[in-house]
Amino acid sequence: MARSLYEWLWQHEFWLPPGITWEDMQESEDTHYPQPRDLLLSIPFALILVVIRCAFERAIALPLSTKLGVRDKQRPKAQPNPVLETFYSRRRKNPEEGELLSLAKHCDLPVRKVEKWFRRRRNMDRPSLSKKFSEACWRFTFYIISFFTGLAVLYDKPWLWDHRECWTGYPQQPLQPSLFWYYMLELSFYWSLVFTLPFDVKRKDFKEQIVHHAATIFLISFSYCANYIRIGTLVMVIHDASDCFLEPTKIFNYMKWKKTCDSLFMIFSAVFLISRLVIYPYTVLYNTYYYSMEIFQPFFGYYFVNVLLIILQLLHVFWSCLIINMVYKFILQGTMEKDMRSDTEESDKDEDRDKIREKEKNGITYFSNVTSNGYIQRNGSEPLNNRAHLANGHAKER
């Protein structure tokens, strides 16, 4: 059964254009083509990257954060409570109103204390500022290395300047060692991101990040097996270009260098919107959808790779909407708003604000009742039916 599944999966009709079989892709001493088994090397390489990342964050990023003045907030800890802890870990982290009432009754505590316990408990699970700083430093380091590696590999390649060259001789395009190692570097990095997902900073677009990582890994792997190496290298370089500006923006934000952070964010926004909404659709989507048909007729691999590329583009549109919204608010307010992807830390002061608002609301209600009962008129005078004019500084009753 496994052999039948293997033979079905690797049918040349799935992977290669019409008229080309796997026999046409046989290697020789001087000619090497991508082999699917090569992708297995990305797993141990990814584990090596995870080890390098841990060492980098502990030996370089954390000491650097201290020297640059990045300080973690002192968070009050939630008092040990087995009942609330069980509910928090097994059911939900943010209970509804009815559940709060039930828990308060069960623990014999006021509802506000139960709310405060959950608020503090959620804050305990939120990543510290130094952890965010260390993660941003690692990604910035990798994206810089990856981006300039891609430029060094591709600057003398014809398809970087003439996109139709992506399909010249396809699929019989020999694999060069530099392209192989560039592919392994990128694929290993995205596998490492998948391995560290449970430990990385979780943002509001966590689900979109998972889809992005999955689509990227599938795209890199499929493009390697089907020898879409040339188009794949373009995709990777385009993505790394904007990421090189995103991570230092976060770093300066954690350092509270506001003006530098704002300037870098505007640069990042421009690079992201141009590279993902202009260059990517023309250089990649239009290239794979139209230029490729000048060489071969559509087949399964053609449709599959285009679906993956379109999924990436939809994610680009999603993130572009967030960025445009932030840029719009920046132009109106003149300052950068907090990262919309970040989870906001809750404070015990929120409860104090609620109390103040409630008191103000009650005061306004009392004031409204007073005015509606006729004690104070709009012109500020008192009604004459109850009191006479002041005489000698005293009010006289009629």
Side-chain angles (χ1 to χ4, degrees):
M1 181 178 178
R3 182 176 180 81
S4 300
L5 179 62
Y6 178 85
E7 292 177 352
W8 173 83
L9 178 62
W10 293 105
Q11 294 181 71
H12 62 266
E13 291 87 357
F14 289 167
W15 302 88
L16 302 173
I20 303 294
T21 65
W22 291 116
E23 295 179 357
D24 299 319
M25 302 292 293
Q26 294 296 325
E27 293 184 330
S28 63
E29 294 182 359
D30 301 326
T31 305
H32 298 280
Y33 295 113
Q35 300 296 324
R37 62 177 178 271
D38 298 339
L39 298 176
L40 296 176
L41 292 173
S42 64
I43 303 299
F45 288 161
L47 296 176
I48 292 173
L49 282 178
V50 172
V51 174
I52 294 174
R53 172 183 173 176
C54 293
F56 174 87
E57 291 184 353
R58 290 187 179 183
I60 299 177
L62 280 176
L64 183 63
S65 68
T66 303
K67 290 184 178 181
L68 294 176
V70 178
R71 298 287 184 268
D72 294 331
K73 292 182 179 180
Q74 295 295 328
R75 298 170 178 170
K77 294 183 179 181
Q79 295 296 326
N81 189 308
V83 175
L84 299 181
E85 185 65 37
T86 301
F87 185 93
Y88 180 88
S89 58
R90 295 184 180 180
R91 297 190 62 179
R92 70 176 70 191
K93 298 181 179 181
N94 199 352
E96 297 178 353
E97 185 176 354
E99 294 169 331
L100 284 172
L101 293 173
S102 177
L103 289 170
K105 184 177 181 181
H106 189 272
C107 298
D108 194 21
L109 291 172
V111 176
R112 286 193 177 276
K113 285 192 175 182
V114 176
E115 289 178 341
K116 181 184 289 187
W117 188 94
F118 277 97
R119 182 165 53 250
R120 291 184 173 182
R121 186 63 182 85
R122 287 192 294 269
N123 284 338
M124 289 171 60
D125 285 347
R126 287 188 171 88
S128 63
L129 203 60
S130 58
K131 176 177 175 57
K132 293 179 180 180
F133 179 91
S134 301
E135 181 179 314
C137 282
W138 164 250
R139 297 198 182 197
F140 171 63
T141 303
F142 177 85
Y143 287 136
I144 284 290
I145 294 174
S146 177
F147 178 66
F148 284 102
T149 298
L151 291 181
V153 169
L154 295 177
Y155 83 97
D156 60 343
K157 302 298 187 292
W159 63 86
L160 180 64
W161 314 106
D162 183 3
H163 306 320
R164 280 187 167 88
E165 287 294 326
C166 289
W167 313 109
T168 300
Y170 180 82
Q172 295 169 312
Q173 298 171 338
L175 176 64
Q176 301 176 20
S178 60
L179 298 178
F180 167 78
W181 288 111
Y182 181 44
Y183 248 72
M184 286 297 106
L185 177 66
E186 291 281 352
L187 183 58
S188 301
F189 176 70
Y190 281 102
W191 272 121
S192 72
L193 292 183
V194 172
F195 295 158
T196 58
L197 268 177
F199 314 104
D200 286 343
V201 177
K202 290 181 175 60
R203 303 184 185 275
K204 293 180 180 179
D205 60 347
F206 179 72
K207 294 180 181 179
E208 289 80 7
Q209 285 284 354
I210 294 177
V211 174
H212 175 269
H213 296 341
T216 302
I217 290 173
F218 275 117
L219 181 59
I220 294 176
S221 302
F222 181 81
S223 64
Y224 186 85
C225 294
N227 206 12
Y228 285 111
I229 298 292
R230 297 183 178 183
I231 200 70
T233 54
L234 295 179
V235 173
M236 293 186 291
V237 167
I238 291 172
H239 278 70
D240 289 342
S242 60
D243 291 332
C244 290
F245 293 97
L246 174 61
E247 300 307 326
T249 303
K250 296 179 184 178
I251 291 173
F252 285 110
N253 181 41
Y254 303 144
M255 293 168 56
K256 301 188 185 304
W257 290 24
K258 197 169 186 59
K259 292 184 178 180
T260 306
C261 174
D262 292 349
S263 301
L264 277 174
F265 177 76
M266 297 305 293
I267 296 173
F268 159 73
S269 301
V271 174
F272 185 95
L273 296 175
I274 293 173
S275 62
R276 305 292 180 95
L277 300 184
V278 179
I279 297 177
Y280 177 84
Y282 173 71
T283 304
V284 177
L285 293 181
Y286 188 81
N287 193 359
T288 56
Y289 192 78
Y290 289 105
Y291 288 164
S292 61
M293 289 194 292
E294 297 177 357
I295 308 298
F296 54 82
Q297 294 298 316
F299 63 107
F300 175 81
Y302 164 85
Y303 293 113
F304 188 70
V305 75
N306 275 285
V307 167
L308 293 176
L309 292 172
I310 290 174
I311 290 175
L312 282 182
Q313 182 59 21
L314 292 176
L315 291 171
H316 296 164
V317 172
F318 169 79
W319 284 313
S320 296
C321 291
L322 294 181
I323 292 171
I324 291 172
N325 190 19
M326 293 179 72
V327 171
Y328 175 73
K329 290 183 178 180
F330 174 78
I331 294 173
L332 290 181
Q333 300 174 2
T335 183
M336 258 295 299
E337 192 185 58
K338 184 177 177 65
D339 185 1
M340 295 176 64
R341 299 168 57 223
S342 298
D343 191 11
T344 304
E345 183 169 338
E346 300 169 278
S347 170
D348 289 339
K349 293 180 181 179
D350 295 340
E351 182 178 350
D352 298 334
R353 294 193 192 100
D354 293 340
K355 290 180 179 179
I356 293 173
R357 288 174 184 170
E358 186 176 351
K359 288 180 180 179
E360 290 177 348
K361 183 179 179 182
N362 292 336
I364 292 172
T365 304
Y366 174 77
F367 185 79
S368 299
N369 291 335
V370 169
T371 56
S372 63
N373 289 333
Y375 287 105
I376 299 177
Q377 294 180 339
R378 290 186 180 179
N379 59 4
S381 62
E382 297 183 7
L384 298 178
N385 58 346
N386 292 329
R387 292 179 180 271
H389 290 290
L390 289 174
N392 298 325
H394 299 281
K396 295 182 178 181
E397 295 290 345
R398 286 188 181 274

